Amino acid sequence: MNQERIFKVLLGPHMTEKATLLADEKNQYVFKVASDATKLEIKKAVEQLFDVKVNAVSVINTKSKTRRTLHGLGRRKGFRKAMVSLVEGQAIDFADAE
């Protein structure tokens, strides 16, 4: 996988309370990913960017939400997220990531 595609696959970490609990308890990390990214691409991108060994990848497509605004109904954009499970003993620290 070329270096340009790696940066297009992973859009960033998805930091929520649930994602923090997954990281602490099950050694899983949640990322927002490109809508056309495959599990294999996500696995290779995480391994190359963070220098860790990935055990498994699960992908979820979240639907867009309808919100009421001043100008009528609007829609938030849907996105795709990946839950990446790491091998025992490895971790990702987003504060030190370059």
Side-chain angles (χ1 to χ4, degrees), residues 36-48:
D36 62 342
T38 63
K39 288 183 178 184
L40 186 59
E41 286 178 333
I42 295 166
K43 179 179 177 177
K44 288 181 180 179
V46 170
E47 285 179 346
Q48 289 182 5

Side-chain angles (χ1 to χ4, degrees), residues 40-66:
L40 186 59
E41 286 178 333
I42 295 166
K43 179 179 177 177
K44 288 181 180 179
V46 170
E47 285 179 346
Q48 289 182 5
L49 277 178
F50 298 104
D51 196 30
V52 292
K53 191 73 174 160
V54 174
N55 193 17
V57 177
S58 298
V59 179
I60 301 168
N61 291 317
T62 59
K63 293 185 178 183
S64 60
K65 294 182 178 180
T66 303

Side-chain angles (χ1 to χ4, degrees), residues 6 9 29 42 45-47 56 59 75 82 93 95:
I6 290 173
V9 168
Y29 296 90
I42 295 166
V46 170
E47 285 179 346
V59 179
R75 291 188 72 86
D93 187 13

Side-chain angles (χ1 to χ4, degrees), residues 2-22:
N2 61 5
Q3 198 69 18
E4 184 178 326
R5 180 65 180 159
I6 290 173
F7 291 113
K8 288 184 179 180
V9 168
L10 293 179
L11 302 178
H14 187 66
M15 301 303 287
T16 60
E17 287 183 37
K18 189 173 183 178
T20 306
L21 287 174
L22 281 174

Side-chain angles (χ1 to χ4, degrees), residues 31-38 59-62 78-82:
F31 295 94
K32 283 188 180 181
V33 295
S35 60
D36 62 342
T38 63
V59 179
I60 301 168
N61 291 317
T62 59
F79 60 95
R80 185 176 175 119
K81 63 183 176 180

